[in-house]
Amino acid sequence: MSLYKMGGDMMEDDWEFASSSNPNRTLVLVGRTGNGKSATGNSILGKKAFKSKASSRGVTSTSELRRVVQEDGQIINVIDTPGLFDLSTAAEFIGKEIVRCITLAEGGIHAVLLVFTVRGRPTDEEQSVLYHLQTLFGSKISDYMIIVFTGGDDLEDNDETLEDYLGQECPEFLKEILELCDNRMVLFDNKTTNKRKKAEQVQKLLSLVDAVARKNNGKPFTDELFHELQVETKLKETAKRLEKQLGEEQAARLEAEERANEVQKRSSDEIKKLRENLERAEKETKELQKKLGKCINL
């Protein structure tokens, strides 16, 4: 076993113990500050790898990766992220963290764990989380999403199940997210000391990760796919920009043609008036000449 440095932190590198028949899995935790992302990461890893405490202010300031090797040799990589979609988070910071997250996930992202809490109602900023994810990663990202609800101990204290909670409290945007990810969801109690309960909730999560892998034919969300989506997005943006530019040019051309037609019509009207004035002047001149001729004859 060796030690190496990642993002300023020392981590155990157990890579050499991995079995080729048990490929590593990389999971990314995403959600609002205070929903329990770091605590969930610790539950998955089975150790206190991430700083976690009950606070409205984020403890995680930048994306961090930690890993654990299971008994069967499978490596589980967990990437904890700061509150990327909090209202106070700047767009530039979000962009940098997404790039860092993709960089940390060297072999690709096998599942995005979207973390909500059953303690209280979802906030306004959480209602736009799906939009933000799809904007950054493309609509394909929903195929990799698993919804993790934290606060399982609260439900247990009230003799409620997750299904009870969703039936009574589930808002429309959350129903939409669950539908998009084929209802892949799991409830976590990050405070429990019951080893069996800890193992069961992690095992359920990993079975959902396997379901995600099957859905995507074993292909993780990779840097290459991310760039493909970015290129696709840029192409769409370019197409929209060109379409808008073409529309503006066409509108300008029509306006110019209308202006030219107005000028031409105005010129035609002016020429017609000039011709009429000239004809009237010629007529008046001829009448004047006739009158002059009669005066001379007299």
Side-chain angles (χ1 to χ4, degrees), residues 63-296:
S63 298
E64 301 174 346
L65 181 149
R66 299 289 186 272
R67 64 163 49 105
V68 68
V69 180
Q70 294 191 310
E71 291 180 1
D72 62 358
Q74 185 182 56
I75 296 174
I76 305 297
N77 297 314
V78 178
I79 297 176
D80 188 19
T81 64
L84 295 181
F85 307 120
D86 294 357
L87 292 176
S88 60
T89 306
E92 184 180 357
F93 177 77
I94 293 173
K96 287 181 179 178
E97 285 305 308
I98 292 297
V99 171
R100 176 173 170 77
C101 194
I102 291 289
T103 303
L104 288 173
E106 294 179 359
I109 297 171
H110 295 85
V112 175
L113 309 184
L114 192 49
V115 183
F116 293 95
T117 179
V118 298
R119 296 185 174 99
R121 299 285 296 174
T123 62
D124 292 339
E125 55 200 305
E126 286 181 299
Q127 295 188 33
S128 60
V129 67
L130 178 62
Y131 167 78
H132 287 304
L133 281 172
Q134 291 181 331
T135 300
L136 289 166
F137 293 101
S139 58
K140 180 73 174 171
I141 197 64
S142 59
D143 292 337
Y144 292 86
M145 289 194 318
I146 297 172
I147 311 304
V148 178
F149 291 96
T150 62
D153 50 306
D154 270 22
L155 292 185
E156 189 174 314
D157 290 342
N158 295 322
D159 293 323
E160 284 186 295
T161 64
L162 181 57
E163 287 69 25
D164 292 333
Y165 170 79
L166 293 176
Q168 299 168 9
E169 307 286 340
C170 191
E172 286 302 317
F173 85 91
L174 194 49
K175 289 179 182 178
E176 180 186 352
I177 293 176
L178 287 168
E179 186 177 346
L180 278 174
C181 64
D182 298 331
N183 286 311
R184 290 187 295 270
M185 59 181 169
V186 61
L187 178 66
F188 262 65
D189 176 358
N190 292 317
K191 292 183 177 181
T192 184
T193 56
N194 187 310
K195 291 183 178 179
R196 181 176 178 180
K197 187 177 181 181
K198 285 181 178 181
E200 284 178 350
Q201 60 190 20
V202 172
Q203 191 53 50
K204 183 174 181 180
L205 172 65
L206 294 180
S207 68
L208 292 174
V209 174
D210 289 338
V212 168
R214 287 193 297 273
K215 182 177 182 64
N216 295 288
N217 298 316
K219 183 179 180 182
F221 193 94
T222 62
D223 187 35
E224 180 182 350
L225 181 55
F226 177 69
H227 283 303
E228 283 178 7
L229 291 169
Q230 293 291 79
V231 170
E232 183 181 343
T233 301
K234 287 180 181 178
L235 286 174
K236 287 180 180 177
E237 290 175 353
T238 302
K240 285 183 180 179
R241 188 169 62 251
L242 289 174
E243 186 178 349
K244 182 181 178 183
Q245 185 178 346
L246 183 62
E248 291 173 349
E249 290 176 354
Q250 187 175 8
R253 186 167 61 251
L254 289 173
E255 186 180 349
E257 288 176 358
E258 288 177 4
R259 200 179 300 120
N261 290 334
E262 289 177 3
V263 172
Q264 186 177 0
K265 186 176 181 297
R266 199 181 307 122
S267 298
S268 298
D269 291 341
E270 290 175 355
I271 291 171
K272 184 180 178 182
K273 286 180 181 179
L274 287 172
R275 187 179 292 115
E276 289 174 352
N277 291 336
L278 182 59
E279 289 174 353
R280 186 167 53 251
E282 288 177 350
K283 185 178 180 181
E284 290 174 353
T285 300
K286 286 179 181 180
E287 290 177 353
L288 183 59
Q289 287 176 344
K290 285 180 182 180
K291 290 180 180 179
L292 288 173
K294 287 180 181 180
C295 289
I296 293 171

